[in-house]
Amino acid sequence: MNNSLASVCCGALISFFTFNIFIPVERFFNSSGILGAQTQSKQKYTIILVGDSMTQALGAGETILPILRKFYPNKKLHILNYGIGSTSILTLPDRLTKGSVRGDETLLPILDKDFDLILIESFGNNPIQQGFGKNNEILDQSIKLIKEKKPNAKIIFVATIAPNRDRYAENI
């Protein structure tokens, strides 16, 4: 990961929905030294979620929005969920530029949407047999695409935790 875009951005945040939930949403959009140039505070933010079934299970905001509304009662938050089960990081560039299909639903390309923040989940079916080289290549390519088309958008990498914390990775 020498000098790759992924390694530079990975230090930003590991999980938006756990230990960072108490931070005012504007903090994600100001000059914190990690997330980039300062952006004007606004009343409405659009957040894109992209990942596999762990992201898809969150739905169109019905799970996340009630939690976020407690902490950001004066902000309008719009969640667009691009989670698709049984997918890997290899599908990310196409979801960004060409769109995708989830069941009988056609999802437009992410980069055709107007958004402030994109949370890229870690995916569960990644091609790591030969190491993380391909993963890093895809993340670098995806970050470049996002920054070229949406230079003011913030990117956060999210590592998901299995639903049953006590039994996750049991017998492995």
Side-chain angles (χ1 to χ4, degrees), residues 50-52 82-101 110 120-121 123-127 134 138-139 141-142 145:
V50 61
D52 62 14
Y82 277 78
I84 301 174
S86 300
T87 56
S88 75
I89 196 74
L90 298 175
T91 65
L92 183 56
D94 281 348
R95 287 198 227 178
L96 292 170
T97 59
K98 298 178 184 172
S100 48
V101 175
I110 292 170
I120 301 173
E121 189 243 341
F123 292 88
N125 297 307
N126 292 327
K134 187 64 174 176
I138 296 296
L139 283 173
Q141 176 188 2
S142 299
L145 288 168

Side-chain angles (χ1 to χ4, degrees), residues 24 69 115 126 130:
R69 283 189 184 117
F115 62 91
N126 292 327
Q130 291 83 32

Side-chain angles (χ1 to χ4, degrees), residues 26 28-32 35-41 152 154:
E26 286 82 11
F28 293 111
F29 299 98
N30 68 22
S31 57
S32 65
L35 296 177
Q38 187 166 350
T39 302
Q40 285 280 4
S41 175
N152 294 320
K154 304 304 176 194

Side-chain angles (χ1 to χ4, degrees), residues 13-17 118-123 156-160:
L13 295 172
I14 298 299
S15 176
F16 176 72
F17 297 112
I118 183 168
L119 282 77
I120 301 173
E121 189 243 341
S122 54
F123 292 88
I156 296 177
F157 295 97
V158 179
T160 55

Side-chain angles (χ1 to χ4, degrees), residues 29-98:
F29 299 98
N30 68 22
S31 57
S32 65
I34 296 173
L35 296 177
Q38 187 166 350
T39 302
Q40 285 280 4
S41 175
K42 45 194 231 180
Q43 290 302 310
K44 182 180 178 192
Y45 292 95
T46 298
I47 301 170
I48 300 263
L49 309 176
V50 61
D52 62 14
S53 61
M54 297 290 281
T55 300
Q56 184 178 355
L58 295 172
E62 56 273 356
T63 304
I64 298 170
L65 282 175
I67 297 167
L68 291 175
R69 283 189 184 117
K70 287 182 192 175
F71 298 102
Y72 311 118
N74 299 320
K75 300 295 178 189
K76 292 183 183 189
L77 302 172
H78 182 60
I79 307 286
L80 298 173
N81 190 327
Y82 277 78
I84 301 174
S86 300
T87 56
S88 75
I89 196 74
L90 298 175
T91 65
L92 183 56
D94 281 348
R95 287 198 227 178
L96 292 170
T97 59
K98 298 178 184 172

